[in-house]
Amino acid sequence: MHLRCETALDGLRNRHGTIIDAHAAAEAVAKRNHAASEIYRTTLMQHTGTLLTAARGALDSLPPARHHAGWAARLDNLEHAADQIQQILTSSPGEPDGETARSRGEAMWPFLVTWAEHASTACDLADQQHTPAATALSGDELRKWTQIARAARSSGRLTPYESWYDADQRLITIADLQHEDETFTAVALAGDLDSPDVQVLGHYGDELEAIDASPPPVPPGVLHPAASRYAERAHSAEVSFQVLIQDVREARRASDVAEAIETAVDRYGLARGQLVRLEEFVSVCAEFAQALGTQHAQRVAGRLGALSRQFAVLTAELREAGDDLSSTVAVLPPHRTPLAHRPPGLGHPAIPTTLPVTAPPATTLAHRR
């Protein structure tokens, strides 16, 4: 619902990011708020108490860890949001319409966002009550399958399918293990796949069976704790590459193209350029890979970091080229004439279907005249 609203708002912005139809924008936001509040009211509200009780009980039973305080705070926020939503609904009972519905949806939206962002934490904690079957390997079988998995990993025959952390802070990975006879087995492993400490917990017929038999996941972490996809974004005057390409195609002066280049590489203006944004994008991807902590992710982080630095060099080179182009103070030569686009409705000259009639030969008098 939020994504549809954001898409609608983007369609109401000009190339500088300014909303050009405030009424339509308000209607899009009101529609989102109302739809989200109705879904919560009719499908989720009756279960929030049960979910939070199960999540708190599971959290209390987990082995102590420093991040449990953060999870408890999320559960507190969810409970507070549920209480506030209940108060809003109680103050405007029934099925209001018009301004009442708009006001109710607007008041509920911040608390609905809390549930949209953190409900998965409560669900993951409640799932800790799921106790998998005791199929963990031990002894000789554990050593045998662990050696098979390590050999498969080193030869590229171990393909990760899904991974998570369990309550004991172990990295659990479900993977497809290809044997030398081309057959496959789903295995559950604990630890970094490239670490000598990795162990096989069990082997199964398929991935879903392996997931069901493995320790359940705890809530995953985030790269930037303060980040939120629902936060209000300040839209700056960003110009797309499509617009810049068209500007260059229509350009007549070197300064026009230099201005387009400056837009793409601008690092300090109101709207940073696309290449600067691309450099930032690759850099934050490297930061994410680095935060994963596994050996394979560390290698990927190194590659992404190198790419980010290359983009920074490319941006600087392009800026210098744009400055050099601007210093030419040149225009395109006049022989590059644009096509004469015929105005709409004027039509095209008719193509003759018969030969023109030959004029009679001029008389002697006419010739003398």
Side-chain angles (χ1 to χ4, degrees), residues 18-357:
T18 304
I19 293 289
I20 58 177
D21 190 337
H23 176 73
E27 287 298 319
V29 172
K31 182 178 179 181
R32 176 203 65 186
N33 294 348
H34 176 72
S37 62
E38 286 302 293
I39 287 294
Y40 178 92
R41 183 180 67 85
T42 58
T43 64
L44 180 59
M45 187 171 65
Q46 59 184 319
H47 304 294
T48 56
T50 303
L51 175 61
L52 291 175
T53 299
R56 291 189 188 279
L59 180 58
D60 292 339
S61 66
L62 295 180
R66 62 180 182 179
H67 46 266
H68 287 183
W71 292 347
R74 288 192 192 181
L75 297 181
D76 291 341
N77 288 346
L78 288 172
E79 184 174 13
H80 173 73
D83 292 342
Q84 293 299 311
I85 292 173
Q86 182 64 47
Q87 292 182 21
I88 295 170
L89 293 175
T90 303
S91 64
S92 56
E95 299 290 340
D97 53 14
E99 287 302 317
T100 304
R102 183 187 296 265
S103 299
R104 187 170 83 172
E106 183 179 358
M108 289 176 61
W109 175 250
F111 305 110
L112 295 172
V113 165
T114 298
W115 274 90
E117 289 187 316
H118 301 315
S120 61
T121 297
C123 293
D124 286 342
L125 289 174
D127 282 343
Q128 296 303 310
Q129 298 178 351
H130 165 66
T131 303
T135 58
L137 303 179
S138 60
D140 292 339
E141 191 174 12
L142 170 62
R143 287 187 289 271
K144 168 191 170 184
W145 277 95
T146 298
Q147 291 174 357
I148 293 175
R150 289 174 181 170
R153 178 65 172 175
S154 62
S155 60
R157 294 182 290 106
L158 188 69
T159 305
Y161 177 80
E162 189 172 351
S163 67
W164 62 83
Y165 281 90
D166 69 357
D168 293 321
Q169 303 186 48
R170 296 182 303 174
L171 179 60
I172 306 298
T173 301
I174 307 301
D176 290 322
L177 191 155
Q178 181 182 4
H179 299 278
E180 295 182 355
D181 60 358
E182 304 298 325
T183 60
F184 287 87
T185 300
V187 293
L189 306 102
D192 186 345
L193 296 184
D194 297 303
S195 168
D197 298 327
V198 66
Q199 288 187 336
V200 174
L201 298 179
H203 52 90
Y204 310 91
D206 56 44
E207 297 88 350
L208 296 182
E209 182 184 350
I211 292 173
D212 289 339
S214 300
V218 296
V222 294
L223 184 61
H224 292 162
S228 171
R229 71 176 59 202
Y230 301 99
E232 294 293 333
R233 292 177 173 83
H235 289 269
S236 56
E238 296 182 7
V239 182
S240 69
F241 262 126
Q242 181 179 353
V243 172
L244 292 181
I245 292 172
Q246 187 63 27
D247 287 347
V248 174
R249 286 173 175 163
E250 298 173 1
R252 300 188 177 207
R253 297 170 177 80
S255 58
D256 297 335
V257 180
E259 182 179 355
I261 293 176
E262 175 60 28
T263 300
V265 301
D266 183 19
R267 189 177 293 275
Y268 306 107
L270 177 63
R272 288 180 295 171
Q274 292 89 336
L275 288 181
V276 177
R277 297 273 187 191
L278 181 58
E279 176 191 338
E280 180 183 5
F281 168 72
V282 178
S283 178
V284 76
C285 289
E287 183 183 354
F288 180 88
Q290 184 75 25
L292 289 175
T294 65
Q295 295 185 30
H296 181 69
Q298 299 292 313
R299 292 191 291 269
V300 175
R303 292 168 55 193
L304 291 171
L307 284 173
S308 177
R309 292 188 291 272
Q310 290 176 28
F311 280 124
V313 173
L314 174 62
T315 301
E317 289 285 343
L318 183 57
R319 178 181 290 106
E320 291 183 7
D323 292 341
D324 290 343
L325 184 61
S326 178
S327 66
T328 63
V329 195
V331 298
L332 291 175
H335 71 265
R336 306 186 70 89
T337 306
L339 293 177
H341 298 291
R342 188 171 294 274
L346 186 59
H348 296 277
I351 299 177
T353 56
T354 57
L355 295 177
V357 178

